[in-house]
Amino acid sequence: MGGHTTIPGPLGKRPRWYWRPWLLPLLTLGASLLPRIIDFSMAGALLILLAPLLLFRALIAKLRAGRVFAATERVGRFQMPFRQLAFADDAPGRNLAVLLNVFRGDMAFAGPRALSLEEAAAVPADQGIRFSLRPGVFSPYALRSKVGIAYEGEADLDREFYYTETAAGNLGLVVRTGVSGLLAGDAARPMPDHLDFFGIAIANTTMGEAIDWIVRRIRDDRPATIAFVNPDCLNIAYTNPEYREVLNQVERVLPDGIGIRFGCRILGFGLRANVNGTDMFPRLCERCADEKLSLFLLGARPGVARQAAENMLQRYPDLKIAGTRDGYFAPDAEAEVIETINRSGADILLVAFGVPKQELWLWKHRSRLKPRIAMGVGGLFDFYSGRIPRAPLWLREIGLEWSWRLLQEPGRMWRRYIIGNPLFLYRVWRQKIGKLVI
Ligand code: UDP
């Protein structure tokens, strides 16, 4: 073994230096200081690099508002109050002046959102973990809210951040926020309860409210059909009067995908959330398990709906799946399919035949179908059965789920996205200037 002495430890032999008493405390200190060192040096470097711009901004603020900075009281790490800086003539928030807060150590680049005094006072004790981190200029919750996919509560996302933070992850968050900013923009726009696209009223709502609505309709015994629409659906509705008529008649139309957000932007409105079927499905299953409501899954290739049901049952063992059936049956089997659904006693029927087939089918048979809630869900069972993998979260965070679907099935999807998305935006623009003929 030469001159190298080793001492057996619980995990095998380790070199002698490992046991030096100062090493572990030093490593611990280093690890806990590392994020701060990175933030400090990044903020410092940016302040130096951007100095001319910052000085110019300061001058403009002074001329316009009479002072350089405006400060907002925020609650920081260990619940210590601090003043978040912004140039006085600009909106608070992500303003270059905040670099000074990061440099000073009030804030980090990535972390939980900085809270106002009132918000901080309302944080329950069991969510206090967020206060052991510096508030972030960029936060996971803010990112997902902006793109409309913050379906988990802020507390959950903060906790997840606390346990999983890494330097690379933080950099990713900053980059994704930047990219999503280009794509989604900030929503300080009016948010009406309904959005009109091509004469179709879409509910401007959140995931939580949409699921409450479903449960309420079942409890009140008031049947309803729900449709999700993305730009492709609205393009189809524009040229297909039958489908458009159905969308006008169903009890609820919900906004699916980043394209609707862009459309809203053109019209000058804000979209509360991206309430698409794919993100709703697991949350609906969870809620149905709690409320003892059952689901019937109809559609997709043979075996796919059943596999999706099995996967959901693994996740929510209390869930009741009343039945499943594939979506490739002959017209003369229709009566039998409807009979099977009705006999299953399902409260909610999900139909995946693709747009507009599923909506037309549901509308045609609505008086014969017993489930209180019926909705068209497109490719949803393909995702949850694992047949087609869904876009990774980071792509969804920057509003690019559609590009993933395009890569998965380019032959089928290129028309929908490459032609459909710009066409949709063009039509929305025509609607805005009052020139769209419907
Ligand atoms: N489908 C079906 N019966 C049909 C045609 C299609 O069950 O007659 C299924 C198909 O297998 C797929 C879904 O309907 O699972 C449509 O998926 P798509 O991705 O086209 O949905 P969309 O994007 O239109 O919502």
Side-chain angles (χ1 to χ4, degrees):
M1 290 236 271
H4 188 77
T5 328
T6 55
I7 301 174
L11 300 174
K13 293 186 175 185
R14 287 157 187 214
R16 180 171 276 282
W17 58 260
Y18 185 88
W19 303 100
R20 301 239 159 101
W22 46 264
L23 189 72
L24 203 58
L26 195 73
L27 284 176
T28 312
L29 187 71
S32 63
L33 280 179
L34 193 65
R36 177 68 198 126
I37 293 170
I38 296 176
D39 280 344
F40 177 78
S41 17
M42 289 277 292
L46 283 170
L47 282 170
I48 294 169
L49 268 173
L50 299 176
L53 178 65
L54 289 163
L55 288 173
F56 177 71
R57 281 294 293 111
L59 185 68
I60 301 275
K62 179 79 184 160
L63 290 176
R64 280 215 210 133
R67 61 212 160 93
V68 174
F69 293 120
T72 323
E73 282 287 328
R74 298 277 189 219
V75 176
R77 198 182 187 203
F78 307 133
Q79 289 180 287
M80 300 282 276
F82 71 96
R83 291 156 69 77
Q84 187 176 347
L85 296 175
F87 286 116
D89 61 329
D90 207 347
R94 216 169 297 123
N95 176 307
L96 275 183
V98 89
L99 280 174
L100 290 165
N101 287 113
V102 179
F103 188 69
R104 219 159 60 176
D106 301 325
M107 298 182 79
F109 279 110
R113 195 169 57 93
L115 301 184
S116 67
L117 302 183
E118 299 79 48
E119 283 176 314
V123 172
D126 63 346
Q127 291 167 20
I129 207 168
R130 73 182 326 284
F131 293 117
S132 55
L133 295 169
R134 287 185 176 79
V137 179
F138 300 91
S139 88
Y141 181 74
L143 168 59
R144 289 193 209 165
S145 317
K146 191 161 64 171
V147 196
I149 59 168
Y151 312 119
E152 321 311 333
E154 183 165 14
D156 286 345
L157 288 178
D158 287 346
R159 194 172 322 113
E160 187 185 317
F161 181 85
Y162 177 87
Y163 287 114
T164 58
E165 182 185 4
T166 60
N170 288 352
L171 185 65
L173 176 71
V174 174
V175 172
R176 293 197 305 282
T177 306
V179 176
S180 76
L182 298 177
L183 280 161
D186 284 313
R189 299 181 176 81
M191 294 202 178
D193 286 339
H194 284 92
L195 304 156
D196 176 320
F197 284 99
F198 315 163
I200 294 156
I202 302 177
N204 192 6
T205 187
T206 61
M207 188 60 84
E209 190 279 335
I211 293 176
D212 287 344
W213 189 94
I214 291 174
V215 174
R216 211 168 340 111
R217 294 288 295 212
I218 299 172
R219 296 284 175 234
D220 295 350
D221 198 13
R222 293 167 63 211
T225 305
I226 298 174
F228 296 93
V229 293
N230 57 28
D232 177 52
C233 305
L234 288 168
N235 279 335
I236 297 172
Y238 184 75
T239 50
N240 178 337
E242 214 187 332
Y243 174 51
R244 185 166 67 233
E245 190 53 29
V246 171
L247 290 183
N248 276 321
Q249 308 253 352
V250 295
E251 281 71 16
R252 226 171 190 210
V253 181
L254 292 170
D256 168 359
I258 193 80
I260 303 288
R261 180 173 297 272
F262 272 116
C264 285
R265 247 178 127 173
I266 294 178
L267 296 178
F269 296 123
L271 182 71
R272 292 213 171 90
N274 172 349
V275 189
N276 63 83
T278 314
D279 283 314
M280 180 186 276
F281 185 54
R283 292 165 180 89
L284 185 65
C285 288
E286 187 176 12
R287 187 69 185 274
C288 285
D290 286 348
E291 305 263 352
K292 312 228 174 319
L293 297 173
S294 60
L295 300 167
F296 193 104
L297 315 188
L298 171 67
R301 296 185 193 170
V304 173
R306 191 173 339 113
Q307 186 61 52
E310 276 166 23
N311 293 351
M312 282 298 126
L313 284 170
Q314 289 228 327
R315 262 160 90 170
Y316 309 108
D318 292 337
L319 180 65
K320 190 154 179 280
I321 301 282
T324 61
R325 171 82 202 234
D326 70 80
Y328 296 87
F329 48 86
D332 58 11
E334 208 157 63
E336 176 238 308
V337 170
I338 293 174
E339 179 60 21
T340 310
I341 295 167
N342 289 343
R343 255 190 290 122
S344 77
D347 299 293
I348 301 175
L349 170 64
L350 306 187
V351 181
F353 299 158
V355 173
K357 191 175 172 192
Q358 58 201 20
E359 280 77 17
L360 299 180
W361 191 87
L362 274 175
W363 197 246
K364 182 167 157 214
H365 299 297
R366 73 186 181 288
S367 58
R368 295 169 61 198
L369 288 164
K370 290 228 178 96
R372 301 292 83 185
I373 296 285
M375 48 189 171
V377 293
L380 186 133
F381 305 152
D382 293 314
F383 296 132
Y384 285 95
S385 65
R387 199 182 80 79
I388 299 179
R390 189 163 180 211
L393 185 59
W394 67 268
L395 261 184
R396 283 185 266 153
E397 281 182 341
I398 57 175
L400 286 180
E401 176 158 27
W402 61 273
S403 67
W404 175 265
R405 293 208 68 190
L406 179 62
L407 287 177
Q408 296 272 313
E409 297 178 89
R412 197 162 77 91
M413 295 293 173
W414 74 272
R415 279 185 75 89
R416 181 182 292 191
Y417 295 121
I418 305 290
I419 299 189
N421 283 348
L423 180 61
F424 168 72
L425 296 177
Y426 169 73
R427 284 174 173 158
V428 176
W429 173 72
R430 298 278 295 177
Q431 173 180 326
K432 168 147 175 107
I433 59 171
K435 291 226 173 107
L436 189 77
V437 185
I438 301 165

